[in-house]
Amino acid sequence: MDGTPVSKELSRSTPYDTGKIKIGVYYEQPKPPLEQDELLLQHALLGVAPPKETFFQRLISRLMKG
């Protein structure tokens, strides 16, 4: 270890421990949404056709291009 003190709050494995039950043992933070490139790669690897762009997605992409 590098010698930095670890706070008691960070060293606990569960947010709440009542003695009988542990609340939040299996909690996982939500994952961020996939970006367009990641979705295309995932569809290519799975061999599935990518979803079609909606009207609003096409409109926004055209407006962003200039």
Side-chain angles (χ1 to χ4, degrees), residues 53-62:
E53 276 188 322
T54 64
F55 169 75
F56 293 110
Q57 289 173 334
R58 285 192 308 267
L59 179 65
I60 290 172
S61 67
R62 288 179 185 169

Side-chain angles (χ1 to χ4, degrees), residues 14-66:
T14 59
Y16 301 103
D17 187 355
T18 64
K20 289 186 176 184
I21 59 172
K22 295 180 180 179
I23 302 170
V25 171
Y26 300 110
Y27 176 76
E28 292 182 12
Q29 291 183 347
K31 297 185 176 16
L34 295 176
E35 293 183 10
Q36 191 66 27
D37 294 341
E38 295 169 330
L39 282 173
L40 287 174
L41 178 62
Q42 184 177 27
H43 283 97
L45 292 173
L46 292 174
V48 179
K52 295 190 179 234
E53 276 188 322
T54 64
F55 169 75
F56 293 110
Q57 289 173 334
R58 285 192 308 267
L59 179 65
I60 290 172
S61 67
R62 288 179 185 169
L63 290 174
M64 296 297 283
K65 287 181 182 177

